Amino acid sequence: MTRSRYISLVLILGGLTALTPFSIDMYLPGFPAIAKDLSTSASKVSLSLSSFFIGISLGQLLYGPLLDRFGRKIPLYIGLSVYILVSIGCVFAQSINALIGLRVIQALGSCAASVASVTLVRDLFPVEENAKVFALLILVLGASPLIAPTAGGYIISSFGWHAVFIVLTLICALIFICSIFWLPAGKAPDHEYSLKPIPITKSFLFVFTTPQFYTYCLTGSLAFTGLFAYVAASPVIFMSVFNVSLKTYGWIFAILSIGFIGSSQLNNLLLKRFNSHQILRFILICYMVMSILFFLFSQIGWLSLPVIMIFLFLLLGCVGIANPNATALTLAPFDKNTGTASALLGAFQIGLGSIISVFISLFENPSLTPLAISFLISSILAFFMLKLGSRQIKSPVAGVAAVVVVH
């Protein structure tokens, strides 16, 4: 593969991966405007975010078998088509309940892109390159929190919150065109793969009961919930607790995202000296220590705006390093059933994230406590899942080159 071809593939896969976070981040600054326009509360508007997470979680399980049965392209095209149509519907939503319902369907469309992109990494690149490619995807993915909330703030202040969904429609259409003309088909359709309920259930059970899968899937997903908690809580924390403006919130969100993006690229340097399991174990210890300090500071009242930004920068950095390593180790054992494994991984990531986001929305009064509790639970459970699950892996498959997973 030539360097230009390698870069173009990463960019297209990054675009597919970024569709979902753009759908999340771009409308976050519009929470107050949506609440006012639809005569509801900001906490009720946040349910449209939770419903999006739930839709993605369910959609992951739908697209996994379809990608294995029909190949990567057809399910992807169907999902992107659904996304475009429903995004147009969101423009004309007249009630918060309609918006919440449309966001579920919009998520079902966007998760086709998410599952396909992860699956195609496993198809198109050698297994020893997967962790590096996932880290590069996070770099492309990082354009979302850097650009989306800031752009969303300017779009909403100039044209209203409805315009965000028009922009999302155009973004998806561009990704659709690139996928048609420049994205390889990946692994051929498996016509022997059954779509009947019992075989599908057996396939999911086979994947999930593989010790390496459930250990790193649950570890990575639990750690990843910290990011969902931050996304769900950040509009309330910055615009209600600290009273920053809509545009300032966008810039703060972008600055903090550098911690997540930069750390994922630092991971590539660490992979030259350590294996993915070693990196994951060390970073989860750091994540847990930082989460405990963040919780204590929030209860004592020591979190000024600069201090909370430093904490969130470091916490998101820990998540940014943990994610590509956990993902690579999760999918490494699967040459077959890759779509199913990718879907199940995504379902756990988004499903646990949706639970956290609903938990955040239950707090009516603006406070730092829900976010601090979320990080604390996320880090502790992730660390102990890795510690306990690693003992069950008898024949580990490395997620990076020339690496043996060490317990």
Side-chain angles (χ1 to χ4, degrees):
M1 185 183 300
T2 64
R3 181 174 177 81
S4 61
R5 182 60 172 159
Y6 185 95
I7 293 173
S8 66
L9 278 179
V10 170
L11 288 174
I12 295 173
L13 293 173
L16 290 170
T17 307
L19 182 61
T20 292
F22 256 84
S23 305
I24 296 168
D25 298 338
M26 186 169 280
Y27 94 128
L28 290 179
F31 273 29
I34 296 173
K36 182 179 180 180
D37 192 38
L38 300 182
S39 301
T40 187
S41 65
S43 62
K44 188 69 179 292
V45 173
S46 70
L47 288 177
S48 67
L49 179 62
S50 301
S51 69
F52 190 86
F53 290 152
I54 292 170
I56 296 175
S57 181
L58 296 175
Q60 303 275 345
L61 301 177
L62 170 67
Y63 285 108
L66 293 178
L67 288 166
D68 284 333
R69 175 66 176 80
F70 297 108
R72 314 316 189 196
K73 285 288 190 91
I74 293 176
L76 174 62
Y77 293 164
I78 293 173
L80 294 179
S81 299
V82 169
Y83 182 94
I84 289 172
L85 292 174
V86 178
S87 295
I88 295 172
C90 289
V91 175
F92 300 99
Q94 298 297 312
S95 69
I96 186 58
N97 289 331
L99 183 62
I100 290 171
L102 286 168
R103 289 282 284 173
V104 174
I105 304 173
Q106 186 188 38
L108 291 175
S110 74
C111 71
S114 304
V115 178
S117 63
V118 174
T119 305
L120 284 166
V121 170
R122 190 67 180 83
D123 287 352
L124 303 177
F125 299 91
V127 66
E128 62 268 17
E129 290 288 321
N130 284 183
K132 294 179 181 179
V133 175
F134 284 128
L136 289 172
L137 286 186
I138 290 180
L139 180 61
V140 179
L141 180 68
S144 166
L146 285 173
I147 298 172
T150 307
Y154 283 96
I155 291 170
I156 292 165
S157 62
S158 301
F159 305 104
W161 65 269
H162 301 85
V164 167
F165 292 99
I166 296 175
V167 173
L168 289 174
T169 302
L170 296 175
I171 291 173
C172 185
L174 177 61
I175 294 171
F176 202 160
I177 293 170
C178 292
S179 299
I180 291 173
F181 291 105
W182 296 293
L183 186 66
K187 187 171 289 187
D190 183 355
H191 297 295
E192 296 181 358
Y193 190 98
S194 175
L195 293 179
K196 294 180 180 179
I198 293 178
I200 288 177
T201 301
K202 287 182 178 179
S203 179
F204 277 121
L205 285 174
F206 168 76
V207 169
F208 182 71
T209 54
T210 302
Q212 180 158 337
F213 179 88
Y214 67 70
T215 296
Y216 294 110
C217 171
L218 293 176
T219 297
S221 298
L222 287 166
F224 208 51
T225 57
L227 179 64
F228 287 90
Y230 161 71
V231 170
S234 62
V236 174
I237 288 176
F238 290 116
M239 289 192 283
S240 297
V241 176
F242 291 104
N243 297 312
V244 304
S245 68
L246 186 150
K247 293 179 180 178
T248 302
Y249 164 73
W251 284 109
I252 290 175
F253 198 97
I255 291 170
L256 291 178
S257 299
I258 295 173
F260 183 75
I261 303 160
S263 63
S264 68
Q265 302 316 300
L266 173 62
N267 183 60
N268 279 341
L269 298 177
L270 295 174
L271 285 169
K272 295 178 180 180
R273 296 192 59 184
F274 307 100
N275 66 51
S276 286
H277 179 85
Q278 291 169 333
I279 296 171
L280 183 60
R281 181 175 55 189
F282 174 75
I283 206 64
L284 287 180
I285 294 173
C286 296
Y287 186 36
M288 186 166 55
V289 171
M290 291 299 302
S291 296
I292 293 171
L293 291 174
F294 183 60
F295 176 78
L296 292 176
F297 275 45
S298 70
Q299 299 308 298
I300 297 172
W302 288 357
L303 290 178
S304 61
L305 182 57
V307 174
I308 192 175
M309 288 181 64
I310 292 172
F311 264 111
L312 290 175
F313 187 93
L314 295 174
L315 287 165
L316 293 175
C318 291
V319 176
I321 292 177
N323 185 57
N325 291 292
T327 299
L329 289 165
T330 299
L331 300 180
F334 303 100
D335 288 319
K336 199 171 183 180
N337 295 329
T338 311
T340 300
S342 299
L344 199 56
L345 169 62
F348 273 101
Q349 285 182 335
I350 308 298
L352 291 174
S354 65
I355 292 172
I356 286 290
S357 67
V358 170
F359 169 74
I360 294 290
S361 69
L362 294 177
F363 291 79
E364 291 286 344
N365 296 324
S367 169
L368 296 172
T369 300
L371 181 59
I373 293 175
S374 299
F375 273 122
L376 188 65
I377 295 173
S378 166
S379 60
I380 292 175
L381 291 181
F383 175 76
F384 281 101
M385 183 64 233
L386 180 65
K387 188 174 181 63
L388 296 174
S390 297
R391 299 172 183 172
Q392 307 301 318
I393 304 174
K394 305 302 181 185
S395 301
V397 181
V400 293
V403 168
V404 176
V405 179
V406 180
H407 306 320

